[in-house]
Amino acid sequence: MFFKQNYNKTIERQDKMSVNITRAGRAVLHVTDLEAAKKFYIDALGFFETESTDDALYLRGYEEQDHHSILLKKAEKPAVEVMSYKVYSDDELDKIEQIAKKHDLPYKWVEKGEQHAIGRAIRLQDVSGMPLEFYAEMKKVDSLLQRYDLYRGAHIQRIDHLNCLVSDVQKAYNFCNEVFGFRCSEYTEDDEGQLWAIWTHRKGNVHDQAFMNGDGPLLHHIGFWLPEPAALIHVCDVLASMGMAHTIERGPGRHGLSNAFFLYLRDPDGHRIELYFGDYFTGDGDFEPKRWSVHDKTRQTFWGHEAPDSWFDEASTFLHVITGEEVKVEKAKLELYKPDFTI
Amino acid sequence: MFFKQNYNKTIERQDKMSVNITRAGRAVLHVTDLEAAKKFYIDALGFFETESTDDALYLRGYEEQDHHSILLKKAEKPAVEVMSYKVYSDDELDKIEQIAKKHDLPYKWVEKGEQHAIGRAIRLQDVSGMPLEFYAEMKKVDSLLQRYDLYRGAHIQRIDHLNCLVSDVQKAYNFCNEVFGFRCSEYTEDDEGQLWAIWTHRKGNVHDQAFMNGDGPLLHHIGFWLPEPAALIHVCDVLASMGMAHTIERGPGRHGLSNAFFLYLRDPDGHRIELYFGDYFTGDGDFEPKRWSVHDKTRQTFWGHEAPDSWFDEASTFLHVITGEEVKVEKAKLELYKPDFTI
Amino acid sequence: MFFKQNYNKTIERQDKMSVNITRAGRAVLHVTDLEAAKKFYIDALGFFETESTDDALYLRGYEEQDHHSILLKKAEKPAVEVMSYKVYSDDELDKIEQIAKKHDLPYKWVEKGEQHAIGRAIRLQDVSGMPLEFYAEMKKVDSLLQRYDLYRGAHIQRIDHLNCLVSDVQKAYNFCNEVFGFRCSEYTEDDEGQLWAIWTHRKGNVHDQAFMNGDGPLLHHIGFWLPEPAALIHVCDVLASMGMAHTIERGPGRHGLSNAFFLYLRDPDGHRIELYFGDYFTGDGDFEPKRWSVHDKTRQTFWGHEAPDSWFDEASTFLHVITGEEVKVEKAKLELYKPDFTI
Amino acid sequence: MFFKQNYNKTIERQDKMSVNITRAGRAVLHVTDLEAAKKFYIDALGFFETESTDDALYLRGYEEQDHHSILLKKAEKPAVEVMSYKVYSDDELDKIEQIAKKHDLPYKWVEKGEQHAIGRAIRLQDVSGMPLEFYAEMKKVDSLLQRYDLYRGAHIQRIDHLNCLVSDVQKAYNFCNEVFGFRCSEYTEDDEGQLWAIWTHRKGNVHDQAFMNGDGPLLHHIGFWLPEPAALIHVCDVLASMGMAHTIERGPGRHGLSNAFFLYLRDPDGHRIELYFGDYFTGDGDFEPKRWSVHDKTRQTFWGHEAPDSWFDEASTFLHVITGEEVKVEKAKLELYKPDFTI
C-alpha cells in the first residue's frame, strides 16, 4: 500500500529531477595487505590493474573506460572510506552541495588534484550514516572489452551496484528516492507491510544501490557485472586451483530477487564482492516494482539453497567523511530474518 | 572532427531535453502467412505468444511486462507498418506532436482503443521517411523471466533495437539526436570523415536505433536480447533440427561494433531478426563514442567472417503512416561498402 | 601400496579378460507414484519417454539408441530392483553364468520376452549384495541427438554411471576388478591406506561403477551425462520455476574427484539422480589412478562447499534378485567421514 | 549394403583382435618458424608447453598425463612427419611389426632414447601411404585438469582425432578396420553406394581416425577436444584480439556428422587444427553406424553454412617413414563434392 504511493511520487519527481546521477561509480576500500589483495583481485578474479603505488591499487573491469571502479588503499584496519556515484555532469555536484546543506548533512569538497585520476568530488554522510561521494569526471582509459587476450578469472566487465545494511530501510529509501532520484525495481516486505529490503537504480537495471534491514550502516557487498554464466563457473575453478576456495562464501546460485546468477566472495580483509550476471531492464516509466514477502525462501536463492550465517552477520565498516572515524552501528529497526527462520 | 561537436551538442541538449523517450518498444510487421510465422517465431525462436487472432500475432520475450514487442499482421505483402518507441509518460506524446508540426512531418494520432493492448499513440513519418510511432502505455502482463519451464528456442528476453538503411545517415542522425535525444555509442566514417553508419541509444546500452548508409529508408533488422551465448548456439541447433537452417543468414559471430555475439535470421517473409547478446553500458555523461573506419573489416565481424550479399542487399519496405503506401527508396548518398571490397 | 599392485594385476587381467562388459546400461527403480515420477523425470529433467504403460515408464537420454536407460516400475515401496550392465555380445552372458557358479552367487536367467524391449539377461547378487543384471541386446530406437527441437530441462544425453554404498569397498572393488574387469580411475584412502572409496570404469571415462564406504549395499545415485554446463544451470532454474527447488539436494558444484560439474537431485521417492558433466579420458594402458586422502575437503567439492547430511545418510534399498526381498544393510567396515568432520 | 557386412565382420574381429590400439596419440609436424608457432599454439590457443628446445616444441592439453600430443619440429618446409597411435602395452608393438611384414609395408623401429620423452616406437607407411607410428610409453607428466589458473585460450583438454584425405577411402578403411580394429561410427556414401568418407574409432567416441575422399594421402586436420562450447567462442575472441582472426578458416558451427561443435584454424604453416566438442558414446557392441548421403548438406554443417574452398582444397603433406621424402599424392578415386555442388 505504502509502496505504490511512494513509487508514483518517484515518477513525478523524476520529471523535475534536480540531480542527474548516472550510476554506482566506485568503492574506496581500506585493506591491510596490498599483496594479498593483488592475489585475490588481480590474479584470481581477473580485475585489470590500471595503476598501483606502494599504498594503493586502482582496478577496473574490462569494459570500463574510467580509470578505476575499485580503489584499495593500504591501511591499519579494513574499512570502507567511501562509496562513490558518478553524476552526469560537473554542475550536478553543486546541486548536491545544496542538498547537503538543506538536509544538514556533514559534507566536504575534495578538489581535483587531491585524489588521483578523478575530478572534483563532494563527499557527504547521508541520513543512514553512509559515506557517499559524487564525481562527474574520472581519467579516461582504454576500454579493454575487445582485448580478450587479457581476460582472466571472472572476466569482470564493470561495477554494477552497492548493497548496504541499514537500520531503517524505509528512511534510507525515502532519502535516496526523493533526493537522489533512485527508483525501486524490487522490494521485500514483512507481514506488517514494512519495508524490509529494497533494490534501487538509476542506470536502468535492477540496482545501483540496495538496502537490507540489519544492524547498520555497513557495506554488505560490491557487485560486479560478468559477461556470461560460464565466467562465474570458471572463476570458482580458478579460485579452487589457487587454494582460495575458502574465499567463496555463497553460490553459485540464482537470486529470486533480481534473477541474477551470483557468487559471493570475501576478500582477504573480509570485504564482500558479488559477481553478478543477468538481471533485466527496469527503465520504463510505468515499470512496476516486484514485491517479495520476507518469508519467501526463493527471494534469496531461487534454487532453495540457504545462505551461510556469515552472509547475514558480517559486513564492512564505514568511515565518517569528515572525521575518518568508524561510523557507529545501530540496531536494525525491524526483525532479522534468514530464509528459513528468525534469528 | 564534425563528430565531437555534434556529440557535445548532444550532451548539452540532454539537459534541456523536451522528449523523454525510454527505448525501442515494438515493431509492427506485415506478414503473408501467420502459420508460417508462428512456426518461425514461436516454435523455433521461442517467442511467447501473448495473444493471437485470425489476423494478428502478439509476441513478447520472457522478461517483458508489456503485452508485446512484435506485432505480426496478416497482409497481402510483407512490409513494416511502423517502428514504435516507448516514452516515459503520456505527456511526452503531446511534445512529439509539437515536433511533428514544427518540422512539418506527416503525423496522426491513434487513439486508445483503436489498437489492441496499447494506449494512445502518435505516428509520424520522420525526415528519413521512416514510419515512427510513440506510446507511453501498453497493457501490462506478467514477466515470465522466472518461468524457465516455458523457455524455448533462443530464450528471448526483450526487444533491444531497430536498425535501418537510410540514404543520408548524417541527416537521420542529426534529427534523432537533436530532436529525440538519442546519443551515439559507436559510428563508422569513410575516408572523407563522412558519417557512414551510427549506433544511437536512449536506454544506456549500444543502441535503440542504428542507421547504416544504403538505399533507403528500409528496415534492416529488429534486434532481440538473449540471456547468454549458449541460447544463441542452441537456437541454431533447434532451427536445423526443424529443417529451418536456411533461415540462418549470418553468424553466429562477434560484432566488432557493439561487441555483441550475434545471429541474423530471415523470417518466412524475409524480415530480418537479429539475436543479440552482450554489449556494454553507454550511459555516462562523458561517454566517448567509438569510431570505426568503413574499411575496417573487424567492425562487421570481429572474427573476420564475411557477411553474405543478401545481408547488404535485402531489407524490409516501410509503409507511409498516413497513406499506407510503400515508402519510396532513395539511392544511398555515400558509396556502398562491403567488408572486403566496394560494390 | 596395496593399490599399485592391484592395479598392475588389473592390466594383466584385461589382456585375458573373459567378460567384455561395455558400460553401465540401465537402472530398474521401483517408485510409488508414476505421475509424480513423470513430472520429475520428463517435465522437469527432460528425459525422453520412449514408452509407458500403466505400471511402467521407459525413459532415455537424447543420444541413446537403446530403448531406455531408466525403467520406473510402479510399486508399493521405493526400491532398486536391479542395476544393469550392457555387455559387448550375447555370449558374454554365458561367461557370466560361469562366474556366478564359480563364486557361488545367487543368479537367474530372464529370457528374452520376459522383459519388455530387452534381450535375454542374467541377474545375480554380487559379493557386496548388489542385484546386478547383464544383457547384450536392447531394442534399438532413434537417437534424438540432433532433434534439438525436443530438448527440454537438463538436455540429458545418456546414462553415465552407478554409485553404491558398500560396507567393504576393498572387497567390492576386488571382485568387480578381477572378475568383471573394471579399472580404477580415482580412489580415496584413509590414513591407514585402507580403500575408502573407488571409481571404476569400462568405457574409458572416470566411472561406470563407484563404491563408497558406508552402511550398505545401497544405491547412492545414478549419474546421467549432460551436454554442457549451461544445461545444468538451466535445469536448476526449470526446477525452481516448477516449484521443485526442494528436489535439489546438492550443487551445482565441481567435484574434486572426477572433475565433473555436478548436481544431485532426489526424485519423488527419494532415489538420487546425479546430473554430471565433464570428466576425462581414462582408457590408456598406463593410466595412473589418482589418489585422494579421505581428509581432503576438495575431493568432494573442489570449491569447498559442504554436502548436506542427507547426501551421506540416505540412499536407495536394493532387492534380492531371487527372492525380491529387501537386501539387508550391513555396517560400514571403515569409519564414516564427512568432508569436515568424523561422524 | 556393402557396409553392414563389413561392419559385422568388424565386430567378429574385435573379439580375436590381435592389436590393442588405445587412441590417437600425437602428431609430429614440421613447421618453418617456431616463434610463430608458439604465438599461435601457446599464446592464442592455450596449449601448454611441456618442454621446448631450439628445434622443437612439445605441447599438451590440460588433462593430458602424457608428455605431449603435438610435437612441432623446426624444418625447411611444412610437412607431417608422422601420425602416432598409442597402444595398450608394449608387446602390441611386436604384433604391429608382424602386420607390417605380412602386408609388406615399409617400417622401421625407433628405439627408446632416439626420440625425446617417448618409449620405443614402430613407424610404418600404411596402404594409403600415410606415415603411422605406434608407441606404448610416453613420459608421464602432471595432469593440469584442475589447474584452472593456468587455462588460456581454448582451454584445450586433449588430442581427439586425426583426419586424412585419401584417394581410396574403402581401401583405407578396410585396412584400418580389419588390421587395426578401428570401428566405424558414421560414414558418407555416394549414389552408387561407394564409401566416400568414414569416421572410425578405438576409444569409444566418434573418431580417432577419419578418411575423406580426395587427392591424397594428405593430413586434413588434427582435432583437439575442448571442455565446453564457451571455450570455443572465447578462443575466436582471443584470436581476433591478437590480430589473428585470419587463422579462423571455418566455423564456429555444428557438424551434422559427429554432432560436434567445431572451429577450424590454420597454423602459421598452414597445418589445420580443429577445435572440437560434444560428440557421443559409440562403444556398444551393437552400435549402428550412421549413414549420410554425399549430397546431404547438413552432414558438413548442420546449420547450413558452406565451408570455404580452402577447407576442401588444402591439406598437409606427409613424409615417408624411411626416406623422409614427401609422399606423392594420387588423384581421388571418387568424384569430389562440396556441400552444394560438384567440382
Side-chain angles (χ1 to χ4, degrees), chain A residues 90-326:
Chain A
D90 189 77
D91 49 357
E92 301 297 322
L93 303 178
D94 300 313
K95 297 181 201 164
I96 288 167
E97 182 177 34
Q98 295 311 311
I99 290 168
K101 283 181 174 167
K102 179 178 163 194
H103 292 272
D104 211 20
L105 301 172
Y107 77 95
K108 69 170 178 183
W109 286 99
V110 189
E111 292 305 326
K112 187 167 180 171
E114 289 186 59
Q115 296 191 93
H116 180 57
I118 191 167
R120 73 164 182 152
I122 183 166
R123 293 183 172 195
L124 59 80
Q125 210 77 14
D126 97 328
V127 292
S128 302
M130 305 182 302
L132 302 183
E133 177 183 59
F134 301 86
Y135 65 95
E137 185 196 347
M138 192 183 274
K139 187 180 173 187
K140 286 286 171 194
V141 291
D142 289 339
S143 164
L144 303 170
L145 186 57
Q146 295 186 330
R147 288 298 308 277
Y148 290 99
D149 53 325
L150 301 178
Y151 279 37
R152 294 291 179 269
H155 298 191
I156 287 165
Q157 301 290 291
R158 62 178 178 269
I159 191 169
D160 184 74
H161 64 262
L162 300 156
N163 184 314
C164 298
L165 293 170
V166 292
S167 60
D168 186 338
V169 172
Q170 183 72 60
K171 180 173 138 192
Y173 170 63
N174 288 350
F175 189 77
C176 107
N177 171 236
E178 292 169 22
V179 173
F180 291 133
F182 286 72
R183 295 177 64 199
C184 170
S185 57
E186 306 200 17
Y187 63 101
T188 304
E189 280 183 346
D190 67 12
D191 293 340
E192 286 73 43
Q194 297 178 96
L195 192 62
W196 198 87
I198 192 158
W199 281 252
T200 75
H201 73 93
R202 283 302 305 247
K203 72 180 170 306
N205 72 338
V206 170
H207 55 327
D208 287 288
Q209 177 70 58
F211 300 111
M212 302 192 299
N213 177 65
D215 300 344
L218 293 167
L219 176 64
H220 190 269
H221 66 262
I222 311 166
F224 289 89
W225 187 267
L226 301 198
E228 55 166 325
L232 196 147
I233 301 298
H234 183 56
V235 82
C236 292
D237 287 328
V238 170
L239 284 162
S241 62
M242 295 174 72
M244 297 169 77
H246 63 276
T247 66
I248 302 175
E249 184 185 40
R250 180 182 168 198
R254 171 84 60 195
H255 281 309
L257 257 150
S258 83
N259 195 50
F261 190 53
F262 70 85
L263 185 74
Y264 289 97
L265 302 161
R266 302 295 292 274
D267 88 357
D269 283 285
H271 299 303
R272 186 179 287 107
I273 299 295
E274 182 182 17
L275 304 181
Y276 181 94
F277 170 78
D279 59 11
Y280 56 93
F281 182 70
T282 59
D284 282 0
D286 59 350
F287 176 84
E288 292 183 4
K290 183 167 182 181
R291 180 195 172 278
W292 297 82
S293 161
V294 76
H295 303 299
D296 187 339
K297 280 180 66 168
T298 65
R299 71 184 164 90
Q300 286 269 2
T301 314
F302 191 51
W303 304 340
H305 298 69
E306 285 181 26
D309 288 348
S310 64
W311 194 88
F312 294 95
D313 299 340
E314 300 171 14
S316 295
T317 302
F318 283 121
L319 301 185
H320 195 278
V321 295
I322 306 296
T323 66
E325 287 173 6
E326 293 191 356

